[in-house]
Amino acid sequence: MNEEMKVIIVAGARPNFMKIAPLIRALSAKREAQSEKYFSWKLVHTGQHYDIEMSEVFFQELELPRPDINIEVGSASHAVQTANIMTQFEKVCLEEKPDWILVVGDVNSTMACTLVAAKLGIKVGHVEAGLRSFDRTMPEEVNRLVTDVLADLLFTPSEDADKNLLKEGISKEKIKCVGNIMIDSLVSNLDKARERRTCEKFNLKDNQYAFVTLHRPSNVDDKQTLSHIISCLAKLSKDLPVIFPVHPRTKKQLTLYGLWKKAEKITGLNLIDPLGYHDTISLVDNSRFVLTDSGGLQEETTFLNIPCLTLRPNTERPITIIQGTNRLTSLETLERDFDNLLNGNHSNGKIPEFWDGKTGERIVKILFDHSQGESNAQI
Ligand code: UD1
């Protein structure tokens, strides 16, 4: 181990940025409180997402420092993207010689950097460990499995995740239930988001519109599926305006299938560019309900007590259904589920334990206690 503990934090894609912000804040606070300077950290951006709306706006709004190292891998097939991240990140690790890397979530960058670090003998902390959809057709599920089997510390958001890891034979000592890191960012940005009143910019009234995001390959990469979803949204928009910030993958597929121009003409269906963090939270917070296939939105709606329909056959976040406001939906049940929500048929949820805005602090404390324990053991 270096005399000074060196940490590398990895981020690559949109859902990573709100997860690293609380970690960086907690690390900075720790450094300020520390009389001796015995640790340092660097931020690596793999560039999996690179557009202003998919990356830069989050750095500004979440007050993230500029990345120390940009890998700029960009888009490619999974194998090519993963391999490019690995090749570049190996160079970073050989140069920087970190003691720890911290990875978050389940994107290709999470898995690629974990693989590199594990082979170089660098310790890995995985934030948001243990989530399982039990559906290996999802690229994210493969990323989660590989990352968790290799990580040295597994920071979980809820007890169900601990149980998944224990069942997979991960030792209990490595598993730390710390709560939900996304919620840290939500708690610290909620006032700013609410001040925005973003719905007014789109001529929408409080509680009188639905907020939609969809980008999973299973929903957007098949013409029939995507076309069915658009026709359900067209029907919904006759009763309730819909605002739909369109992910680049979804826009590409809508255009490819000749659906984009048709969808743009539907009255009441507002297709807009991807939004920043504050505008997204503001719109979700004031909406009647949300339709999504995103992981983060299932959690944010649970925290905000906004009804959420998740257009997927499963979720790796069952606590949002058991305790929160989330319900699964499908192409077959979507219209009926919309009707139910329009008729006010939904129940309130509760906020799960440790979704309290303090997860970043807990992680940093555990990381330091762990490393301290290790250096004491070496003496
Ligand atoms: C990725 C993550 C997913 C996460 C999602 C959030 C993996 C396997 N998937 O999926 O877990 O929920 O991000 O957004 O890591 N594109 C742009 N601009 C960008 C980024 C992407 O135009 O800044 C385009 C790409 O060219 C590509 C498409 O969007 O055609 C999809 O991007 P990609 O990185 O393949 O995966 P996502 O679907 O975004």
Side-chain angles (χ1 to χ4, degrees):
M1 191 167 145
N2 297 309
E3 241 174 62
E4 175 191 72
M5 182 169 107
K6 280 184 154 187
V7 182
I8 282 187
I9 302 166
V10 176
R14 184 169 65 175
N16 291 163
F17 305 130
M18 46 295 250
K19 293 172 195 168
I20 60 159
L23 290 176
I24 289 178
R25 210 175 41 240
L27 281 168
S28 305
K30 177 91 181 161
R31 183 146 61 196
E32 270 170 35
Q34 209 81 52
S35 50
E36 297 152 65
K37 255 181 143 187
Y38 80 102
F39 79 96
S40 64
W41 53 264
K42 282 194 175 168
L43 173 60
V44 173
H45 188 341
T46 65
Q48 202 183 320
H49 284 172
Y50 40 85
D51 284 350
I52 292 178
E53 313 94 56
M54 299 299 282
S55 174
E56 179 58 29
V57 66
F58 293 89
F59 276 79
Q60 288 165 15
E61 292 187 0
L62 296 164
E63 297 174 16
L64 281 166
R66 303 316 309 162
D68 298 283
I69 299 158
N70 281 298
I71 290 182
E72 294 180 13
V73 285
S75 305
S77 72
H78 282 258
V80 171
Q81 190 177 58
T82 305
N84 284 343
I85 298 169
M86 287 182 71
T87 313
Q88 298 303 320
F89 190 66
E90 188 182 50
K91 289 184 200 151
V92 171
C93 287
L94 291 173
E95 177 111 337
E96 299 291 332
K97 299 189 175 51
D99 301 292
W100 280 91
I101 69 157
L102 284 178
V103 293
V104 298
D106 55 16
V107 300
N108 287 343
S109 305
T110 313
M111 178 191 71
C113 295
T114 298
L115 261 170
V116 169
K119 293 205 174 191
L120 292 174
I122 298 163
K123 295 254 158 76
V124 177
H126 182 208
V127 179
E128 205 185 78
L131 299 185
R132 295 290 180 270
S133 64
F134 304 102
D135 174 2
R136 291 197 186 181
T137 63
M138 281 183 82
E140 294 82 358
E141 182 75 353
V142 177
N143 293 342
R144 291 180 202 118
L145 285 160
V146 174
T147 304
D148 284 346
V149 87
L150 295 175
D152 298 278
L153 278 175
L154 296 104
F155 299 107
T156 64
S158 45
E159 239 180 68
D160 54 284
D162 296 20
K163 286 184 188 148
N164 292 335
L165 293 171
L166 289 170
K167 268 193 216 147
E168 287 171 18
I170 308 267
S171 79
K172 203 170 166 230
E173 294 68 46
K174 289 183 178 178
I175 305 170
K176 311 285 174 192
C177 189
V178 289
N180 192 321
I181 195 86
M182 292 274 293
I183 302 303
D184 282 24
S185 277
L186 183 52
V187 167
S188 54
N189 284 275
L190 195 50
D191 287 347
K192 275 189 202 154
R194 284 185 168 149
E195 276 167 24
R196 289 237 175 176
R197 304 274 317 140
T198 308
C199 62
E200 288 169 8
K201 287 180 208 146
F202 293 101
N203 293 321
L204 298 166
K205 296 200 178 78
D206 278 10
N207 202 31
Q208 289 183 38
Y209 62 91
F211 180 85
V212 175
T213 76
L214 297 164
H215 74 278
R216 299 252 163 237
S218 56
N219 283 328
V220 306
D221 284 6
D222 173 69
K223 184 177 181 182
Q224 254 188 316
T225 305
L226 195 53
S227 161
H228 182 85
I229 294 170
I230 295 296
S231 73
C232 289
L233 291 177
K235 281 188 195 148
L236 171 67
S237 63
K238 287 185 184 146
D239 296 313
L240 188 73
V242 174
I243 186 145
F244 183 175
V246 186
H247 187 284
R249 170 189 285 273
T250 311
K251 183 164 185 179
K252 195 160 95 181
Q253 295 305 107
L254 282 168
T255 310
L256 179 73
Y257 299 143
L259 295 166
W260 177 256
K261 292 222 165 85
K262 286 183 202 154
E264 268 191 321
K265 287 189 191 127
I266 299 168
T267 319
L269 176 60
N270 300 285
L271 301 182
I272 58 169
D273 287 337
L275 291 167
Y277 185 61
H278 291 148
D279 281 333
T280 302
I281 297 301
S282 174
L283 281 173
V284 169
D285 189 43
N286 285 318
S287 69
R288 172 92 65 93
F289 64 84
V290 168
L291 170 72
T292 192
D293 57 13
S294 133
L297 273 167
Q298 295 174 53
E299 300 175 332
E300 286 153 349
T301 46
T302 276
F303 186 86
L304 296 168
N305 199 27
I306 299 292
C308 178
L309 292 175
T310 296
L311 186 53
R312 283 177 43 189
N314 48 53
T315 176
E316 60 290 329
R317 293 159 161 94
I319 198 161
T320 60
I321 296 181
I322 297 160
Q323 298 191 17
T325 51
N326 190 20
R327 301 291 171 263
L328 297 181
T329 186
S330 65
L331 295 184
E332 293 73 38
T333 59
L334 191 53
E335 278 185 51
R336 198 177 65 220
D337 289 333
F338 281 156
D339 285 343
N340 271 328
L341 287 174
L342 287 170
N343 293 326
N345 296 331
H346 66 87
S347 42
N348 286 330
K350 71 166 194 171
I351 297 175
E353 196 186 8
F354 296 143
W355 291 27
D356 57 0
K358 300 201 169 89
T359 295
E361 283 168 43
R362 285 192 280 267
I363 291 172
V364 168
K365 179 167 184 336
I366 291 168
L367 188 65
F368 277 84
D369 289 352
H370 186 89
S371 311
Q372 209 68 51
E374 274 195 340
S375 17
N376 290 344
Q378 278 171 16
I379 296 166

